[in-house]
Amino acid sequence: MSAAPVWSVDPRSGNPREQVAVEATAEEVDRAVRAAHSVREALADRTARAAFLRTAAELLEASGAHIIEAADAETALGPVRLTGELARTAAQLRAFAEVVEEGGYLDLRIDHEDASRTPPWPDLRRWKVPLGVVAVYAASNFPLAFSVPGGDTASALAAGCPVVIKAHPGHPATAELCASVLRRAAARTGLPEDVVTLVHGFDAGVELVRHPLVSAAGFTGSVRGGRALFDAAAARPVPIPFHGELGSLNPVVVTEAAAAERAAEIGTGLGGSMTQGVGQFCTKPGFVLVPAGDAGDRLVEALTGTVSSTGSGVMLDHRMRDAFLAGVRERAGLPDVGAPVTPGAGSDHTVSAGFLTVPAARLTAQGPHDALLDECFGPVTVIARYAAQDEVAAVLARLPGNLTATLQAATEGDDPEAAGLLTALTPLAGRILVNGWPTGVAVAPAQHHGGPYPATTSPTTSVGATAVERWLRPVTYQNTPDALLPPELREANPLSLPRRVDGRRAG
């Protein structure tokens, strides 16, 4: 049987553009993983790794026009959005180069022998080492920043792990271009090209997570697909870490004081955030608790104006468009659900933005309205109108884990609800915002892009400097002669790395 072709498809028309690859067979996945495993020692040199990451950023920028053209043709995200995403991706690669050079991620710790302790301490020296080959599953909605050259790949390479990337079927031509750039960057800095390998196909993705030489996996996608791979990773004879980002409702709570203070501003900001990128951001605010009454009405009125003036848009592919339309129909058909601006189909290939409303009382106990508490990928949000604070508390207690949670509080004067609501939101998400909107994830050292399940399958981040920690494991050497230790742990600290010695910062 011949291998199935992989086609690049135009989401604006649904028509195939070109065949760019074929789906990898089990044998080809095996070869890719074994090739990556065979070159893992080449990434041990931190100087070479940092140079590789910087060179990758430079070559991505040099090929930017070609990459953006291909990505726009496959995703309809537009040159402006993709230009920004390319800049973010290059900056992310450079940021991880700095992480590698600074060396703090190694978490170097030395406790000298101390016979006066009870019990006595031996000489202990701890650091972190790379896990091995990492499987990366590219995302649909960010063809650069969360795909082949994205954060999972960059952080794994920074940790010293070769990667085998499973391309997303929504942008295979872009994936091929970016993989080629990364492999050229490796060669240019004296590393084997096989530190980065690309495969295509659903079955290839399953084979990848099951391969005995794959040591960890990173995934961004749907709850259904991510959970299936997570279960496969756990069911292996030797289970592996699976760092999956699966889905998020990203709730927002608007206090009564905030609505009274700036209803129009909040409604306008919400409309811009939930329609950004045709509602296809993993951090889209998909559920908003708004007070009943005049102030809440003004907020909804401003939201109506903003969403009504938003033009129809093309989603990433027709499968996602069909799922969006089906999800909207299901939710809009529930009792007491209104649609001040009806989300749905635009033309044959587009969708129109909108929002649904429901009394919050409908969501305080289990029932058919629970569908409103599940993510609907696309330009729609749910406005739940609450009449009392006990309704807010009851609804929040029923929400799943999220990437973000947002509190819109008063900016002037007293807001008696704010502190309690911030406390209630904190267990729900990995990033808590006050008086902002979540559709924007800064690549910064203090960033956390993760959250309780089903937002993610592990308590780690996929954005920011600490993302590198997902691909490392700690090792302690006990009573080991200095000459046998890695240079990073030797007494003289020849590499001048930051570390803790006998509990105190040094180096």
Side-chain angles (χ1 to χ4, degrees), residues 43 47-57 93 157 181-187 189 191-192 195-196:
L43 287 171
T47 300
R49 292 209 308 273
F52 169 35
L53 293 167
R54 287 198 176 92
T55 302
L93 287 161
L157 291 170
V181 167
L182 294 180
R183 288 171 67 86
R184 283 194 289 118
T189 50
L191 294 173
V195 295
V196 176

Side-chain angles (χ1 to χ4, degrees), residues 23 51 65 129 209 224 283 311 334 372 468 485:
E23 294 186 356
V129 300
V209 79
R224 181 179 178 183
T283 51
L334 293 168
L372 298 171
V468 71
L485 287 167

Side-chain angles (χ1 to χ4, degrees), residues 98-486:
E98 293 178 3
V99 168
V100 172
E101 290 176 333
E102 189 271 338
Y105 74 98
L106 293 169
D107 194 22
L108 300 169
R109 295 171 183 261
I110 296 174
D111 290 320
H112 288 107
E113 183 177 3
D114 187 348
S116 68
R117 298 271 184 173
T118 304
W121 283 9
D123 186 272
L124 299 170
R125 297 172 185 243
R126 182 183 188 271
W127 73 331
K128 292 183 178 180
V129 300
L131 290 174
V133 177
V134 170
V136 170
Y137 294 81
S140 63
N141 55 340
F142 284 85
L144 305 176
F146 283 83
S147 292
V148 171
D152 284 350
T153 297
S155 59
L157 291 170
C161 297
V163 295
V164 179
I165 307 162
K166 190 270 181 186
H168 194 278
H171 43 80
T174 307
E176 286 285 341
L177 284 172
C178 290
S180 175
V181 167
L182 294 180
R183 288 171 67 86
R184 283 194 289 118
R188 185 168 294 187
T189 50
L191 294 173
E193 290 185 349
D194 284 339
V195 295
V196 176
T197 309
L198 183 71
V199 296
H200 296 264
F202 176 85
D203 291 341
V206 176
E207 291 290 336
L208 192 55
V209 79
R210 292 175 175 167
H211 197 286
L213 294 181
V214 167
S215 299
F219 171 90
T220 303
S222 68
V223 173
R224 181 179 178 183
R227 183 55 194 256
L229 290 171
F230 174 73
D231 290 346
R236 292 167 38 129
V238 179
I240 60 172
F242 183 88
H243 302 290
E245 180 191 322
L246 310 187
S248 187
L249 193 62
N250 304 304
V252 179
V253 180
V254 181
T255 68
E256 293 186 25
E261 178 186 80
R262 58 185 203 287
E265 177 186 330
I266 294 172
T268 301
L270 172 61
S273 183
M274 51 85 53
T275 60
Q276 188 175 358
V278 199
Q280 297 172 117
F281 277 44
C282 54
T283 51
K284 178 199 74 176
F287 180 79
V288 189
L289 282 156
V290 173
D294 292 342
D297 290 345
R298 293 197 303 274
L299 188 157
V300 172
E301 182 180 358
L303 175 62
T304 299
T306 299
V307 174
S308 297
S309 64
T310 301
S312 60
V314 177
M315 294 191 70
L316 293 162
D317 61 37
H318 281 62
R319 177 181 59 83
M320 292 181 187
R321 178 179 182 272
D322 292 343
F324 168 73
L325 296 177
V328 167
R329 284 195 300 269
E330 175 192 2
R331 290 161 174 79
L334 293 168
D336 292 334
V337 172
V341 181
T342 304
S347 67
D348 290 342
H349 305 292
T350 64
V351 296
S352 58
F355 66 96
L356 306 175
T357 59
V358 65
R362 279 286 195 176
L363 303 169
T364 57
Q366 187 174 2
H369 288 76
D370 286 359
L372 298 171
L373 303 181
D374 291 333
E375 179 186 18
C376 186
F377 195 70
V380 63
T381 195
V382 173
I383 307 298
R385 305 294 298 273
Y386 65 89
Q389 286 301 304
D390 60 349
E391 290 182 359
V392 176
V395 173
L396 292 181
R398 302 194 63 240
L399 292 184
N402 292 273
L403 295 171
T404 74
T406 300
L407 175 65
Q408 293 290 340
T411 60
E412 298 179 2
D414 186 37
D415 192 334
E417 303 163 8
L421 285 170
L422 196 64
T423 299
L425 289 172
T426 297
L428 296 179
R431 179 164 57 106
I432 311 299
L433 298 91
V434 177
N435 295 340
W437 299 106
T439 38
V441 185
V443 182
Q447 185 59 270
H448 186 83
H449 189 64
Y453 185 85
T456 53
T457 59
S458 68
T460 58
T461 181
S462 61
V463 179
T466 56
V468 71
E469 296 173 2
R470 296 173 295 166
W471 321 117
L472 300 164
R473 68 178 181 88
V475 174
T476 293
Y477 294 90
Q478 180 171 326
N479 292 340
T480 305
D482 201 65
L484 297 181
L485 287 167

